Amino acid sequence: MKILVINPNTTDSMTDKIRETARAVAAPGTEIVAVNPLDGPVSIEGHYDEAYCLPGLLDEARKGAADGADALVIACFDDPGLEACRELLDIPVIGICEAAMAAASMVGHGFSVVTTLPRAVPIIEALAFKYGFERQCRRVRSAEIPVLALEEEGGGAAAKVREEVIAAIEQDHAEAVLLGCAGMTDLAEALTKETGVPVIDGVAAAVKFSEALVGLGLKTCKRLAYDSPRPKTYGGAFAAAAPKAE
Ligand code: 5HY
């Protein structure tokens, strides 16, 4: 099978890290294609960035599906464009936040999340409610680092994430801790070994859930919620993206 993994921001080094994790956890016979758009924000920190990542994300999703992807992983912890991609495609579409929360709910009674900036906290809290994990989500913490700090070797960002992971375990009594940014994907293994608590990276979780859904032969239901977009005209720069009659 082929899994398309899209980093919706435009930072190649983060896409490389995401690709490395995805390929490391993929089963033999699973091909990983990891890409990011050329147009859009270098990092997604809040709603405005998220809005401007969507056209590039949707274009990459459309191209990847046409190239034979069997599933799509959206590798940003805000799960941007999740429902739009499910309308656009019939292959399974999985967001790394939803995947990480689902995995955490199966290995512990309660989980915490450690993300980057304080502004990301309410966004992830809202996702916990949206996905029905509000009872299991103990707290969403911020390491108070910009997303791109995670791309700086020796910049101290990893140490700040580690501090919050330990605080989540000791203070929130979290039985699993989610890494609330795709840029943290390379930190999960060492933190799990050090703490003895599952520290869950959404990229890895989403890849394995994708393999499971494809293996079950499941596709997105195209009735009602995720029905294909209705054909209509789009004006201006988005004209080529207009939904066409199937
Ligand atoms: C992410 N931003 O996973 C989110 C998470 C965050 O560019 N990739 C980003 O920290 O807001």
Side-chain angles (χ1 to χ4, degrees), residues 82-93 218-230 246:
L82 184 67
E83 292 82 2
C85 288
R86 288 176 177 165
E87 285 188 0
L88 180 66
L89 309 175
D90 63 356
I91 57 174
V93 179
L218 292 173
K219 287 181 177 260
T220 298
C221 176
K222 301 304 288 176
R223 286 173 47 79
L224 304 180
Y226 302 126
D227 189 5
S228 299
R230 290 186 67 245
E246 289 174 342

Side-chain angles (χ1 to χ4, degrees), residues 7-9 14 41-46 75-78 96 115-117 120 123-124 145-148 150 180-184:
N7 168 19
N9 71 41
M14 194 177 297
V42 290
S43 63
I44 296 161
E45 297 170 324
C76 170
F77 213 78
D78 300 13
I96 66 171
T115 188
T116 51
L117 293 171
I123 292 174
I124 296 169
I145 52 171
V147 169
L148 294 187
L150 292 158
C181 178
M184 299 176 185

Side-chain angles (χ1 to χ4, degrees), residues 127-194:
L127 289 175
F129 274 92
K130 175 180 170 184
Y131 298 142
F133 290 119
E134 69 277 8
R135 281 185 299 104
Q136 292 100 318
C137 184
R138 294 268 165 81
R139 181 171 168 187
V140 180
R141 291 172 168 270
S142 159
E144 308 210 4
I145 52 171
V147 169
L148 294 187
L150 292 158
E151 302 307 299
E152 295 161 15
E153 284 297 322
K160 290 183 177 177
V161 171
R162 176 182 173 275
E163 265 174 54
E164 285 304 314
V165 167
I166 291 168
I169 294 164
E170 293 177 350
Q171 297 169 24
D172 310 340
H173 309 298
E175 297 171 27
V177 184
L178 280 56
L179 297 178
C181 178
M184 299 176 185
T185 186
D186 57 338
L187 305 179
E189 188 175 350
L191 287 168
T192 299
K193 281 195 183 110
E194 176 187 356

